[in-house]
Amino acid sequence: MLVNRDAILEVARQSEDVDDGTSSHWRPENQVAGEHPLKNDPFALTYGAGGFSSIGPIGAISTKTGLLHRTAHRILQIPVRNIGRRFNTFGEIDRSAATIAKRQGRAYDKDLLRHAVTLAFLRDRLDLESETDPIAVIGDGFANMASLILDNLPQSQVILVNLTKTLLVDLAFAHKALPDLGIALVGDADEMCEALARSDIRIIAVKADHAPLLANIPVALGINILSMMEMDPPVTKMYFDALRQSPRTSTAFYCCNRIEKQLPDGTMTRFFEYPWHPDDEILADEISPWDKFAYRGRPPFYYRNNPVQHRLVRLNKISRPTPDISFP
Ligand SMILES: C[S@@+](CC[C@H](N)C(=O)[O-])C[C@H]1O[C@@H](n2cnc3c(N)ncnc32)[C@H](O)[C@@H]1O
């Protein structure tokens, strides 16, 4: 099992692989051509003017961090911060997000803020403080959610599952934010078992093609934000199945995605057609309050997003088709 620097370098080496579960939205032919910006040095974060457009639509990271830009973000973030204050832990998560952004040399932007509010919401609804089983973040991107979880829940272990090219971005940003945390790259059940047993490993990186490994481990909470809306429906089903099969009495799942989205090849993804089960216990289900609008740096500044639903459930469990593997 590769750990720490070697794990990141191995993902960099594989960063131009195209995972089987890649939808048309993320296929290289629909991206700006070019080498992966972190392939040669994932530790420098010198990704240049082209940003990450050669990887796909993972959103922009602004490195403009002067007083003027920080003030502008701060003012434009007032409405979302007001929503965040409804949750007890938002203040501490907000401060940790600011530190993370600073360490990464980037702005504390609207994307990081919505992840901060989401984590505060999840801590309000679930007892994550005393949780010792891993949290799986599927399709993170810049490790926004993973870094916040790891920084705010000191006993947590996070499984980062992503397309290989984006997994590299996740690992590079997580490492920059929290350089002392152990990282493992796992590709099979034995490596997963080893990584889970090691208290020095807090980040377990899994390429999307190995995502079915989630079915063999006790996942406390799965998180998917603005990501299943860009997956082919059979891939979404695989993630639901894996989390349902995860060997724990209760696995929570937070899903926050556009109600409807069309992918470049015409595939439609629809939130209400994801493989929900009538016996999923619904803890929250509404249009995500902090995703209703977003801001940009020119008048009229605020704009309406396409409707995004968020739903927090305790998944109805199903038994695993494969024999038990024993995990610590
Ligand atoms: C629009 S970005 C959203 C990133 C982040 N969650 C957010 O809310 O800003 C979509 C994410 O889904 C990931 N993704 C796409 N297909 C995936 C798959 N089959 N398995 C895991 N992640 C996938 C992408 O790599 C990317 O990180």
Side-chain angles (χ1 to χ4, degrees):
M1 180 177 78
L2 294 172
V3 298
N4 300 334
R5 213 182 152 78
D6 291 338
I8 300 178
L9 287 173
E10 180 58 20
V11 178
R13 202 185 59 72
Q14 298 181 24
S15 61
E16 277 156 11
D17 291 1
V18 180
D19 309 70
D20 289 343
T22 308
S23 71
S24 60
H25 196 77
W26 287 90
R27 292 247 153 222
E29 54 270 28
N30 292 318
Q31 257 76 80
V32 176
E35 195 175 60
H36 194 299
L38 297 175
K39 184 177 177 181
N40 294 322
D41 189 355
F43 301 101
L45 296 196
T46 48
Y47 40 84
F52 291 91
S53 50
S54 65
I55 299 175
I58 60 171
I61 284 282
S62 171
T63 50
K64 293 178 181 159
T65 54
L67 182 63
L68 188 69
H69 286 96
R70 278 192 321 226
T71 310
H73 280 290
R74 196 80 203 175
I75 292 170
L76 291 165
Q77 289 173 352
I78 287 172
V80 171
R81 271 215 170 73
N82 284 342
I83 299 175
R85 286 197 194 91
R86 293 179 199 162
F87 310 118
N88 285 336
T89 56
F90 175 69
E92 66 202 66
I93 298 172
D94 191 30
R95 284 189 290 281
S96 127
T99 307
I100 286 168
K102 201 167 175 185
R103 289 190 192 146
Q104 292 169 334
R106 60 181 275 204
Y108 184 172
D109 58 19
K110 60 179 187 247
D111 288 329
L112 187 53
L113 179 60
R114 69 186 160 74
H115 286 87
V117 176
T118 304
L119 181 57
F121 162 79
L122 291 172
R123 288 177 71 182
D124 196 66
R125 302 299 172 98
L126 303 169
D127 178 16
L128 295 180
E129 271 64 27
S130 54
E131 189 51 69
T132 50
D133 281 339
I135 297 175
V137 184
I138 300 160
D140 199 358
F142 303 109
N144 281 332
M145 183 51 91
S147 304
L148 290 171
I149 293 170
L150 291 159
D151 200 35
N152 287 278
L153 300 169
Q155 84 303 349
S156 60
Q157 236 180 357
V158 169
I159 303 178
L160 264 172
V161 189
N162 215 328
L163 301 176
T164 310
K165 58 186 175 179
T166 329
L167 189 59
L168 177 58
V169 182
D170 282 332
L171 294 181
F173 275 76
H175 179 68
K176 198 79 180 170
L178 304 158
D180 297 332
L181 295 195
I183 297 176
L185 174 64
V186 313
D188 60 35
D190 288 340
E191 288 180 343
M192 180 64 92
C193 189
E194 186 185 342
L196 285 175
R198 279 178 56 167
S199 57
D200 61 323
I201 297 294
R202 300 275 312 280
I203 302 172
I204 302 177
V206 177
K207 287 163 55 108
D209 283 349
H210 297 142
L213 284 173
L214 293 174
N216 296 318
I217 58 171
V219 179
L221 167 67
I223 298 177
N224 184 269
I225 303 174
L226 305 189
S227 165
M228 281 180 169
M229 65 190 200
E230 296 173 354
M231 293 181 197
D232 289 329
V235 175
T236 295
K237 181 173 182 321
M238 176 275 294
Y239 281 115
F240 269 78
D241 287 348
L243 292 173
R244 289 189 193 288
Q245 289 163 12
S246 157
R248 237 180 88 110
T249 322
S250 169
T251 293
F253 180 43
Y254 176 74
C255 184
C256 175
N257 281 281
R258 266 183 47 189
I259 288 181
E260 190 171 270
K261 182 165 173 135
Q262 184 167 23
L263 307 188
D265 66 356
T267 301
M268 292 299 299
T269 65
R270 296 189 175 93
F271 185 95
F272 295 107
E273 291 177 9
Y274 292 170
W276 303 106
H277 190 281
D279 292 335
D280 289 336
E281 182 192 347
I282 295 180
L283 306 178
D285 189 22
E286 60 182 347
I287 295 280
S288 167
W290 47 93
D291 288 304
K292 284 185 181 158
F293 52 88
Y295 68 84
R296 59 167 83 91
R298 56 178 189 281
F301 300 109
Y302 293 100
Y303 59 93
R304 248 178 208 292
N305 279 326
N306 287 307
V308 169
Q309 185 80 9
H310 76 165
R311 186 178 275 188
L312 175 63
V313 299
R314 288 192 196 285
L315 290 167
N316 178 59
K317 303 298 272 189
I318 50 177
S319 55
R320 279 159 294 157
T322 47
D324 280 11
I325 300 169
S326 81
F327 283 92

